[in-house]
């Protein structure tokens, strides 16, 4: 406990006040996030739709995120961090409120699709804001803390929503809308705009505006494109257990309650040990951390093929959860490191698109594989993909991220040019 307290104190110290207001908004938002947690139950038990339709609607939410992430990245750079966050939160709140009254199949599908766009559009703005206000050497810690708030809020929402479901699903959705509006109010009142003012580029004797960075140009950035593709592989095997694990456990004859207890281990481990993991991984090589996280995903998901009891399934969840705790903040910090200052939103948006794409594809692929070749094929395939991703991080990004880190450090310690004799500052 003393080690945990010391790790917690060191982890939360030294970050700017603006970050903590952003952290608070994340916690408030996720504490009221009831829609996705209970949507499938609402659609099947309350409205009487089929499980197939419920799965389709949730997939549409992920599809909306595929479009919302690059849209949010573009707005983050052009419009600003605060306006993008506020608009996205208010759009999400409107969607949650609409679900309390919309009951038609087409209406629910459209609302959930638009909610996916709005929710995912906020994330590039959050990632860019953290990169703007937190020094480079502290960013991984800041991203880890924000991710911890997200999981803490989600755990509270799951517990609180389960207890409060006696008031009805529609009440939960309205509470979700109110919490999201409160999140937007916190951003509006307390969070400063952090979008950098990019100076014009001097060509000859004329100053011209900084060239805009399009999404196509972001994808032409070879190191970043590699980071995105490797992240997509990791996200696929990270998302697979959320569909494949309950089906696998049911095939072993275990009750649904056993799956509930096993998957709860994921949230418990993150909430309980994220700060300690931050301390252990602090100042480590980004490429090495990403390699280790991919191997943990590979080991945890691959070993699921060997599990047969709730305890063994829980052990596999612990292993890939450790990979999640290392991967998410490290990948976010690496994205911020590779992004030009004036294009942080677009880079975060493209990276977020890989998460959303995996959230759309993995459930479909996992269900198809379990019903077809079988669960063992799914888990062995996840293990192989994790090893491929680990090899990619170790061989393709080790030098790039190390060189980027060295250049950031050199820039931070570079001496300020001294004034010339005539009192004017040295140019260049």
């Amino acid at each position: 406990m003393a080690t945990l307290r010391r790790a917690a104190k060191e982890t939360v110290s030294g970050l700017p006040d603006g970050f903590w207001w952003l952290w608070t908004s994340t916690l408030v938002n996720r504490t009221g996030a009831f829609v996705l947690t209970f949507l499938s139950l609402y659609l099947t038990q309350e409205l009487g739709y089929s499980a197939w339709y419920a799965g389709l609607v949730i997939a549409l939410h992920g599809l909306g995120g595929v479009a919302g992430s690059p849209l949010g990245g573009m707005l983050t750079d052009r419009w600003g961090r605060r306006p993008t966050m506020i608009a996205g939160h208010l759009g999400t709140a409107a969607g949650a409120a609409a679900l309390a009254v919309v009951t038609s199949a087409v209406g629910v599908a459209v609302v959930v699709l638009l909610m996916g766009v709005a929710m995912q559009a906020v994330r590039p703005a959050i990632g860019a804001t953290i990169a703007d206000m937190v020094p480079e050497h502290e960013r991984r810690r800041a991203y880890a803390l924000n991710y911890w708030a997200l999981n803490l809020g989600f755990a509270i929402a799951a517990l609180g929503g389960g207890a409060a479901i006696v008031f009805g699903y529609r009440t939960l959705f309205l509470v979700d809308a109110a919490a999201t509006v409160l999140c937007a109010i916190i951003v509006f009142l307390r969070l400063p705009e952090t979008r950098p003012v990019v100076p014009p580029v001097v060509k000859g004797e004329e100053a011209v505006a900084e060239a805009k960075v399009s999404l196509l140009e972001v994808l032409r950035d070879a190191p970043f494109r590699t980071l995105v593709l490797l992240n997509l592989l990791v996200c696929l095997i990270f998302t697979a257990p959320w569909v494949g694990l309950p089906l696998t456990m049911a095939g072993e004859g275990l009750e649904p309650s056993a799956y509930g207890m096993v998957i709860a281990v994921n949230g418990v481990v993150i909430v309980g040990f994220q700060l300690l993991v931050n301390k252990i991984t602090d100042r480590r090589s980004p490429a090495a951390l990403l390699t280790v996280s991919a191997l943990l995903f590979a080991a945890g998901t691959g070993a699921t093929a060997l599990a047969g009891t709730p305890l063994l399934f829980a052990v596999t969840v612990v292993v890939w959860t450790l990979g999640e705790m290392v991967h998410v903040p490290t990948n976010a910090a690496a994205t911020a490191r590779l992004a030009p200052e004036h294009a942080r939103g677009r880079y975060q948006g493209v990276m977020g698109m890989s998460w959303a794409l995996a959230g759309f594809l993995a459930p479909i692929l996992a269900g198809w594989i379990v019903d077809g070749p079988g669960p063992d094929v799914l888990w062995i395939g996840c293990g192989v993909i994790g090893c491929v991703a680990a090899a990619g991080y170790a061989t393709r990004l080790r030098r790039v991220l190390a060189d980027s880190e060295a250049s950031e450090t050199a820039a931070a310690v570079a001496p300020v040019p001294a004034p010339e004799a005539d009192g004017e500052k040295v140019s260049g």
Side-chain angles (χ1 to χ4, degrees), residues 2-3 24 28 34 59 86-87 105 128 156 185 215 217 219 245 256-257 280 310-311 358 383 389-390 414 428:
T3 301
T24 301
V28 169
F34 300 117
I86 293 170
I156 296 172
I185 292 173
L215 292 178
E217 288 172 316
L219 293 174
L245 186 57
S257 58
I280 295 172
L311 177 60

Side-chain angles (χ1 to χ4, degrees), residues 49-100:
Y49 289 113
S50 66
W52 174 86
Y53 173 77
L56 173 64
V57 168
I58 294 174
L60 286 175
H61 184 275
L63 185 62
V66 174
S69 190
L71 174 63
M74 180 189 66
L75 293 176
T76 294
D77 287 335
R78 289 189 176 182
W79 197 12
R81 280 61 162 146
R82 287 176 73 245
T84 302
M85 278 189 268
I86 293 170
H89 287 318
L90 293 179
T92 303
L99 283 177

